[in-house]
Amino acid sequence: MWNIKQQFEKDGYVVLEDFLSETEINELRAECDNLVENMPEESKRAVFSSADSNILQDKDKYFLDSADKISYFYEADALGPNGELKVKPELSLNKIGHALHELNPVFRRITLDERVKECCFQLGFEDPVVVQSMYIFKNPGLGSEVIAHQDASYLHTEPVKVVGFWIALEDATLENGCLWFSKGSHKSGVHRRYIRNPDKNSNDLLIYTSPPPYYQKSGFTAVPVKKGTCVLIHGQVVHFSEPNKSEKSRHAYTFHVVEQKNTKYSEDNWLQLPQDKQFLSLYKN
């Protein structure tokens, strides 16, 4: 088993090769195929390519309501102005989220695996819960850029104790949009937050608390990995991925774990469960 804490605290991320077996990768991908085959009808699609404020509100509402559901999020370039698909359905998606770990038995089993629990144990988590999960497609020619960000901007706790598990289900290369990290940037605090808008009269349901910081690209290190690799991501480390302009997809399964003991999950985080639900406990399942 890996010894991860020292490197995690030094760099803000750790690369764990051969985290999943070929069989497990194939199981996740096959289950994703099942989910895609059962995508919502066209009328239920969230449209991300319009500047119309009412549609943007609908998009934000769909996003906000996805915490305890399996929801489908499309690439803007894959949809026409009325939500019609311009490409094959299997190439149209950006991601599926945010409760795969809770509601889907295949993704739940991988998320609750002993390897995941061991990583959290080594990182000092005492009462970890899984707050959200995503299957990310990064499809060829359409997979969009993910701007430089910190996960704690979106999933904030006080004090910050968040770790992301990012598992490559295909090789992630420089060409198809591998992760890039700013080593050590997790030591610089949380740079901005993404929150539910306290102004109830605004059309914007979600807002950033400040403009995006400028990050020099020369300060980042590319982290191409083979499929089956898991990258552990500190909640405050700055990372990004470039658009996929290649002919090969870059599928990944990712989920986030937060500490519940002696921390407070921020009430203005975008992701909030209904009052009658709780986050999935990692150690108790």
Side-chain angles (χ1 to χ4, degrees):
M1 186 51 74
W2 314 279
N3 187 2
I4 61 175
K5 187 173 183 180
Q6 185 175 357
Q7 187 181 347
F8 188 78
E9 292 179 347
K10 174 175 170 282
D11 294 336
Y13 68 96
V14 179
V15 176
L16 305 175
E17 296 180 347
D18 300 318
F19 192 83
L20 292 190
S21 68
E22 187 82 25
T23 299
E24 290 168 323
I25 294 167
N26 293 337
E27 286 174 346
L28 289 177
R29 296 199 61 183
E31 188 59 24
C32 178
D33 289 343
N34 291 335
L35 290 168
V36 173
E37 285 176 16
N38 294 289
M39 271 199 288
E41 296 174 9
E42 194 167 310
S43 60
K44 298 177 183 175
R45 234 177 241 140
V47 180
F48 293 98
S49 55
S50 173
D52 181 272
S53 61
N54 291 324
I55 292 178
L56 286 172
Q57 266 205 320
D58 289 344
K59 179 261 290 185
D60 284 349
K61 184 74 165 57
Y62 184 76
F63 186 68
L64 287 169
D65 289 344
S66 68
D68 62 338
K69 299 178 180 67
I70 295 176
S71 302
Y72 298 77
F73 299 90
Y74 293 80
E75 292 286 1
D77 290 344
L79 300 179
N82 298 312
E84 71 276 13
L85 284 178
K86 298 194 293 185
V87 296
K88 294 178 181 178
E90 61 270 22
L91 296 179
S92 65
L93 287 163
N94 174 287
K95 66 180 181 179
I96 301 174
H98 289 95
L100 290 167
H101 64 284
E102 179 88 57
L103 300 176
N104 184 283
V106 177
F107 286 93
R108 182 184 176 107
R109 186 178 73 248
I110 294 295
T111 308
L112 294 174
D113 187 87
E114 288 301 319
R115 288 162 288 188
V116 174
K117 296 178 182 181
E118 172 66 22
C119 288
C120 288
F121 179 77
Q122 286 197 30
L123 294 177
F125 282 78
E126 295 185 61
D127 186 15
V129 291
V130 186
V131 294
Q132 65 104 10
S133 54
M134 298 178 286
Y135 190 103
I136 301 174
F137 291 86
K138 204 83 163 180
N139 278 314
L142 281 170
S144 54
E145 173 191 18
V146 177
I147 63 169
H149 69 283
Q150 301 167 296
D151 292 342
S153 295
Y154 303 88
L155 301 168
H156 190 263
T157 64
E158 301 168 9
V160 174
K161 192 147 191 186
V162 182
V163 60
F165 286 74
W166 188 95
I167 303 172
L169 303 179
E170 296 181 293
D171 292 351
T173 66
L174 287 170
E175 292 73 33
N176 71 2
C178 69
L179 298 175
W180 291 68
F181 286 93
S182 175
K183 286 185 178 181
S185 57
H186 61 296
K187 300 171 184 176
S188 60
V190 177
H191 302 164
R192 67 170 177 166
R193 297 275 315 285
Y194 186 64
I195 62 171
R196 294 181 176 231
N197 193 348
D199 181 0
K200 303 306 179 187
N201 296 318
S202 172
N203 285 327
D204 298 318
L205 300 180
L206 295 160
I207 58 168
Y208 285 101
T209 55
S210 62
Y214 174 73
Y215 299 112
Q216 189 90 14
K217 189 177 178 182
S218 61
F220 287 81
T221 301
V223 183
V225 297
K226 295 290 187 184
K227 66 179 179 179
T229 300
C230 177
V231 185
L232 298 179
I233 303 174
H234 191 290
Q236 290 179 186
V237 73
V238 182
H239 57 290
F240 74 89
S241 66
E242 294 183 323
N244 182 3
K245 297 180 179 177
S246 77
E247 297 179 355
K248 294 183 178 180
S249 56
R250 193 224 67 185
H251 289 201
Y253 175 52
T254 183
F255 55 92
H256 288 86
V257 174
V258 305
E259 174 67 89
Q260 283 201 138
K261 185 174 181 180
N262 298 326
T263 68
K264 181 177 177 0
Y265 185 80
S266 298
E267 294 177 355
D268 56 0
N269 283 339
W270 75 266
L271 188 146
Q272 302 289 338
L273 289 181
Q275 288 187 348
D276 61 335
K277 295 190 177 181
Q278 294 182 322
F279 292 126
L280 180 66
S281 172
L282 191 60
Y283 293 165
K284 298 172 186 173
N285 285 284

